[in-house]
Amino acid sequence: MAKKPRKQQSGGTPATVALTTAGVDFTVHAYDHDPAHPSYGEEAAQAMGVSPERVFKTLVADVDGALVVGVVPVAGSLDLKALAAAVGGKRAAMADPALAERTTGYVRGGISPLGQRKKLPTVLDDSATAHPTICVSAGRRGLEVELAPDELARLTAAVLAPIGRA
């Protein structure tokens, strides 16, 4: 790496605080969020000039009555059957957005897999390991963190599984 990632010094979002507390190297990317943009993730990739395969969205699903987080590339979608299988469940559906917001402490479009109010089981799409770094929401719209996928998996205790669909 030519450029040393910077750490958030203080304050920030629960996600950046969690990263700083854990001593993980990360880079913060801020951009002006356009509320009219049809896709939060695609907007982030375009604004940062990063390939959509390296920008991951955080989705909350209900698997057999329990909330689970799926982290997949913004270029694709979440395979709900694969997500359920990855956590030993049978059925999965997208969670109610209001419930996802209350449980994680983040707003839709800014839900981070890190620093959630209630830590949820997390599954990271295994395509993340093909990249030295990936970007995920830093906890609000218009703010992303870039970090190594193995660090994200470690901090969230994520299961790695093929849960993304192109």
Side-chain angles (χ1 to χ4, degrees), residues 50-112:
V50 175
S51 165
E53 289 78 27
R54 284 189 47 232
V55 179
F56 283 64
K57 55 189 169 187
T58 306
L59 302 169
V60 181
D62 179 315
V63 178
D64 298 336
L67 294 181
V68 175
V69 170
V71 184
V72 297
V74 301
S77 61
L78 175 62
D79 182 334
L80 289 166
K81 286 184 182 185
L83 177 67
V87 294
K90 294 188 187 289
R91 294 180 159 234
M94 293 307 297
D96 173 68
L99 178 59
E101 289 179 342
R102 275 194 314 275
T103 305
T104 63
Y106 294 118
V107 297
R108 194 169 149 252
I111 294 178
S112 178

Side-chain angles (χ1 to χ4, degrees), residues 3-20:
K3 184 176 119 180
K4 175 86 172 149
R6 68 183 168 99
K7 291 184 182 179
Q8 189 83 358
Q9 295 304 316
S10 62
T13 67
T16 60
V17 169
L19 288 166
T20 300

Side-chain angles (χ1 to χ4, degrees), residues 18 45 66 134:
I134 61 171

